[in-house]
């Protein structure tokens, strides 16, 4: 099932422009996100193929089946609550039955968690270091040998330096396990003219090998040194390198360039959402209302433009978190939404919808 199917079959209850255009924080190049609610036909609802939501490939157009929509409302999910506070100029379509769904009937103290705690998680995302934005250049591709060290006296040297200073080639070397010691190897060097010992070298391939390799060592040979392979360090490096390359492929070029241009090394769009969510949470706790179209638009756009230092914003956000916690502690909102009332509204709406479909005017 696709969004086009929902429209063609007349299954929509509600459709609205969401995201930055609803908040009033959009820029000329901002995407247009769509969210909505639909009802499955009776046969599909009662059958085995229940569809909880339908989205496009980029997930910027998402429509929730009515039951899923109510389930998320009962969890005070910000995305679905915001649909009930959509500014009129962003409403694309509203079926008369949808008028019975009001944000005020679902707001509760759960919003402290769903809005504020999500905002705190966004702070961690905002710092460029955590999102690899601060890498002026991609991390260099390293090999197993970059994590190998040779004992020298009471210390150690990178194996490449050790080999260079002694005039040895890696192909002259052979490794043998040292019993009872993990990732420590006896290192032997074949100094014979024709390398008759046949050592296999330190790795099979310096660019693709994921481990050191062992050689058969003639009995009585004396190790030239001992080599330690920092296996944990190599594994960590491989994970970081892989994550960077994945991020590099998937990153939003526009947001990346915006972060580079304002030079503050944090994702300004993420930080904008931190303050939007926290301020909305405080308004919910103190006023019992949901303000989707933001009265603090100018301040939020200042954040988007990178006009503040990261540390300054984090400090202000932490203060705001405390205010939000205090506001919810004294709020008159219920602890959770009224589940029974929500279930009755769900049943009544579905029955009315099916009746209208069976007996159109």
């Amino acid at each position: 099932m696709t969004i086009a199917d929902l429209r063609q079959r007349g299954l929509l209850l509600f459709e609205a422009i969401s995201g930055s255009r609803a908040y009033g924080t959009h820029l000329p190049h901002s995407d247009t996100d769509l969210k909505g609610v639909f009802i499955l036909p009776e046969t599909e609802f009662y059958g085995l193929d229940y569809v909880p939501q339908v989205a496009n490939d980029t997930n910027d157009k998402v429509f929730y089946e009515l039951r899923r929509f109510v389930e998320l409302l009962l969890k005070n999910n910000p995305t679905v609550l915001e649909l009930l506070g959509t500014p009129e100029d962003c409403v694309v379509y509203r079926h008369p039955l949808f008028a019975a769904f009001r944000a005020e009937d679902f707001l509760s103290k759960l919003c402290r968690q769903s809005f504020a705690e999500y905002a705190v998680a966004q702070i961690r995302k905002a710092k460029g270091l955590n999102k690899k934005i601060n890498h002026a250049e991609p991390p260099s591709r390293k090999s197993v040998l970059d994590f190998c060290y040779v004992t020298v006296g009471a210390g150690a040297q990178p194996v490449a330096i050790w080999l260079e200073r002694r005039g040895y080639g890696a192909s002259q070397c052979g490794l043998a396990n040292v019993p009872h010691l993990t990732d420590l190897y006896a290192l032997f060097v074949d100094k014979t003219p024709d390398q008759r010992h046949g050592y296999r070298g330190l790795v099979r391939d310096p660019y693709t090998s994921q481990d050191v390799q062992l050689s058969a060592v003639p009995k009585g040979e004396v190790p030239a040194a001992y080599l330690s392979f920092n296996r944990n360090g190599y594994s960590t490096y491989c994970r970081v390198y892989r994550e960077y390359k994945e991020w590099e492929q998937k990153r939003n070029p526009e947001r990346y360039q915006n972060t580079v241009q304002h030079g503050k090394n944090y994702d300004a769009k993420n930080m904008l959402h931190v303050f939007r969510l926290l301020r909305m949470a405080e308004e919910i706790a103190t006023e019992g209302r949901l303000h989707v179209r933001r009265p603090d638009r100018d301040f939020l756009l200042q954040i988007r433009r990178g006009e503040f230092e990261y540390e300054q914003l984090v400090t202000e956000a932490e203060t705001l978190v405390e205010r939000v916690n205090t506001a919810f502690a004294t709020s008159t909102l219920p602890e959770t939404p009224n589940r029974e009332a929500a279930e009755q509204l769900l049943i009544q709406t579905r029955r009315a919808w099916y009746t209208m479909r069976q007996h159109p005017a």
Side-chain angles (χ1 to χ4, degrees):
M1 183 178 288
T2 66
I3 295 172
D5 293 334
L6 299 179
R7 293 196 180 101
Q8 184 179 358
R9 298 170 67 186
L11 302 178
L12 293 182
L13 263 181
F14 185 71
E15 180 177 358
I17 296 169
S18 61
S20 63
R21 296 185 184 277
Y23 307 139
T25 59
H26 60 286
L27 300 174
H29 59 269
S30 295
D31 295 331
T32 299
D33 297 339
L34 285 177
K35 297 286 188 296
V37 182
F38 68 96
I39 294 187
L40 282 173
E42 281 185 273
T43 53
E44 293 172 51
F45 174 69
Y46 292 125
L48 296 175
D49 297 322
Y50 178 75
V51 178
Q53 68 184 55
V54 177
N56 66 346
D57 292 339
T58 55
N59 224 41
D60 54 7
K61 295 177 176 61
V62 182
F63 288 72
Y64 305 94
E65 207 285 326
L66 182 62
R67 187 179 79 186
R68 178 61 175 159
F69 178 67
V70 173
E71 289 171 346
L72 292 172
L73 284 176
L74 289 172
K75 295 178 181 179
N76 281 181
N77 177 282
T79 300
V80 298
L81 275 176
E82 287 168 10
L83 280 181
L84 298 184
T86 301
E88 284 303 314
D89 61 350
C90 288
V91 175
V92 177
Y93 172 75
R94 181 191 284 115
H95 191 280
L97 289 174
F98 198 73
F101 290 85
R102 305 186 316 141
E104 294 78 10
D105 296 333
F106 291 92
L107 296 178
S108 76
K109 290 185 178 181
L110 288 181
C111 288
R112 186 199 67 80
Q113 179 178 2
S114 61
F115 280 75
E117 291 190 7
Y118 178 75
V120 170
Q122 290 293 93
I123 294 176
R124 302 189 192 104
K125 289 185 178 181
K127 184 61 176 171
L129 278 172
N130 293 339
K131 299 188 73 179
K132 304 165 183 70
I133 287 172
N134 275 337
H135 283 295
E137 297 291 337
S140 60
R141 188 70 178 95
K142 295 183 179 181
S143 73
V144 165
L145 292 181
D146 290 309
F147 294 84
C148 291
Y149 298 84
V150 175
T151 55
V152 177
Q157 278 181 354
V159 66
I161 293 176
W162 187 86
L163 290 171
E164 181 182 3
R165 290 182 176 176
R166 284 156 183 78
Y168 300 145
S171 61
Q172 290 178 257
C173 300
L175 296 177
N177 281 316
V178 176
H180 312 300
L181 295 176
T182 304
D183 297 324
L184 184 69
Y185 305 88
L187 189 157
F188 299 86
V189 178
D190 188 349
K191 300 177 185 178
T192 62
D194 55 355
Q195 295 187 24
R196 62 175 178 272
H197 292 328
Y199 294 154
R200 303 171 64 199
L202 302 178
V203 292
R204 179 175 288 107
D205 185 293
Y207 302 103
T208 62
S209 294
Q210 300 296 303
D211 203 347
V212 296
Q213 68 175 349
L214 304 180
S215 296
V217 178
K219 190 173 182 180
E221 286 294 306
V222 178
Y226 289 89
L227 180 143
S228 173
F229 173 32
N230 182 2
R231 191 178 300 276
N232 288 338
Y234 178 66
S235 296
T236 299
Y237 158 78
C238 288
R239 175 180 57 77
V240 170
Y241 185 83
R242 182 179 64 253
E243 288 175 354
Y244 179 88
K245 300 307 286 186
E246 289 173 355
W247 169 79
E248 190 176 45
Q249 291 175 354
K250 296 176 183 177
R251 71 187 179 197
N252 182 315
E254 230 167 57
R255 287 174 69 172
Y256 175 73
Q257 287 304 317
N258 173 257
T259 300
V260 171
Q261 287 165 13
H262 68 57
K264 299 297 172 61
N265 291 324
Y266 62 82
D267 188 327
K269 189 172 181 180
N270 271 352
M271 193 57 86
L272 177 155
H273 288 307
V274 166
F275 280 86
R276 178 184 64 79
L277 288 163
L278 288 174
R279 289 185 169 190
M280 288 176 74
E282 186 174 30
E283 293 158 1
I284 290 168
T286 56
E287 303 173 26
R289 295 184 60 193
L290 183 70
H291 299 290
V292 174
R293 178 62 52 78
R294 298 309 304 151
D296 52 352
R297 172 182 183 273
D298 291 342
F299 169 69
L300 295 176
L301 288 178
Q302 282 182 290
I303 296 175
R304 179 72 182 270
R305 292 191 295 268
E307 295 183 14
F308 303 99
E309 296 297 330
Y310 174 73
E311 290 74 16
Q312 175 188 357
L313 289 174
V314 169
T315 300
E316 290 187 27
E318 289 172 345
T319 300
L320 188 50
V321 168
E322 292 303 315
R323 285 211 325 249
V324 168
N325 288 337
T326 300
F328 273 101
T330 58
S331 175
T332 58
L333 286 171
E335 293 295 325
T336 61
N338 187 324
R339 182 181 176 85
E340 291 73 21
E343 186 174 35
Q344 284 305 307
L345 177 60
L346 170 61
I347 293 170
Q348 290 166 11
T349 303
R350 196 178 292 280
R351 282 177 174 167
W353 174 271
Y354 291 154
T355 299
M356 292 171 64
R357 300 282 286 190
Q358 292 168 359
H359 309 286

